[in-house]
Amino acid sequence: MERDRQWHVDTKPLTATKVQFGKRVFDIIASSILLLCCIPLFIVLSVSIAFASGFPVFFTQTRTGLNNKQFTIYKFRTMRCDKRKMDRHLYDWDEGVPDDFTFKSGYDSRVTSIGKVLRKYSLDELPQLFNVLIGDMSIVGPRPEIPEITAYYNLHQRKRLIVKPGMTGYAQVNGRSEIQHGKKIEHDLYYIENQSILFDMKVILSTVKLVLKGYGSY
């Protein structure tokens, strides 16, 4: 409870309201177009997942979003159904999330064969376009963490929650799944302080290049 009462952090206003307005307009247009264009791909991936490892096709999870508000994130399921619910995240940190903390590892026996392909090329993230369309997320922004981690954020780390989380972000194009938490915070706060539509375009282009190479994602 004490953690929740101390969440609010004094931060200077974002550079300009018009940047946020422009991002939201872009998010709505981009997510709408991409969702329509991806319908055939969604069908193929859904059938492939169901055929390879059964139902459900989609994976949902609670994440922390703008101003510490929780929301449900959507992804294609990449792990076996029988073990997915056994996954628990228990942490015990006293002074914020350690800088050397890395959430993912290079190998996870629970990931299915098709799940490995989906993760390598970030295809499992496509359903998050729904999150962008309804306003829980943005195309570009800090990646949303699970509440079990954000509950331990210190004052400095909480600053990354003053903007909407994104499908991709500046930290991700500088490391994807390999990046340590300290560096991720550093990159996210740099993005927040310097965000612009042009910056977003550069992040998106860098993301496309990394995804096509399948680099740094598990």
Side-chain angles (χ1 to χ4, degrees), residues 21-35:
F21 178 77
K23 281 175 63 72
R24 183 57 188 149
V25 171
F26 174 78
D27 286 342
I28 293 173
I29 295 174
S31 60
S32 299
I33 293 175
L34 288 172
L35 281 170

Side-chain angles (χ1 to χ4, degrees), residues 56-202:
V57 168
F58 295 102
F59 169 78
T60 60
Q61 188 180 50
T62 300
R63 297 289 180 96
T64 303
L66 176 66
N67 294 327
N68 207 36
K69 181 180 178 181
Q70 295 183 7
F71 69 98
T72 300
I73 198 171
Y74 301 99
K75 304 177 72 172
F76 280 118
R77 181 173 58 81
T78 59
M79 292 186 179
R80 289 191 291 275
C81 296
D82 58 341
K83 292 190 177 183
R84 181 170 59 90
K85 293 182 180 179
M86 295 173 61
D87 194 27
R88 294 291 184 270
H89 305 281
L90 300 175
Y91 305 106
D92 186 18
W93 297 311
D94 294 325
E95 299 180 355
V97 182
D99 286 344
D100 61 354
F101 172 72
T102 302
F103 183 69
K104 292 184 179 180
S105 61
Y107 174 76
D108 194 325
S109 61
R110 298 168 297 177
V111 180
T112 62
S113 296
I114 189 171
K116 292 177 182 178
V117 177
L118 295 178
R119 288 188 173 198
K120 182 176 182 179
Y121 296 103
S122 295
L123 295 173
D124 60 317
E125 310 284 356
L126 287 178
Q128 289 164 41
L129 289 168
F130 288 106
N131 290 112
V132 174
L133 184 61
I134 64 179
D136 289 329
M137 294 177 62
S138 182
I139 297 292
V140 180
R143 284 293 294 163
E145 294 275 20
I146 57 175
E148 290 87 343
I149 292 178
T150 58
Y152 287 95
Y153 275 4
N154 58 34
L155 291 175
H156 178 69
Q157 294 166 346
R158 290 171 190 169
K159 292 178 182 179
R160 77 187 295 271
L161 302 177
I162 66 173
V163 298
K164 285 184 181 180
M167 291 183 66
T168 186
Y170 186 60
Q172 280 59 52
V173 299
N174 283 281
R176 295 189 80 183
S177 298
E178 300 173 337
I179 194 169
Q180 292 186 332
H181 193 266
K183 271 295 180 182
K184 179 169 64 176
I185 294 293
E186 179 182 326
H187 290 314
D188 285 341
L189 295 188
Y190 176 84
Y191 168 78
I192 290 171
E193 294 172 0
N194 297 277
Q195 63 179 309
S196 67
I197 301 300
L198 179 59
F199 197 170
D200 281 7
M201 294 301 104
K202 291 180 179 179

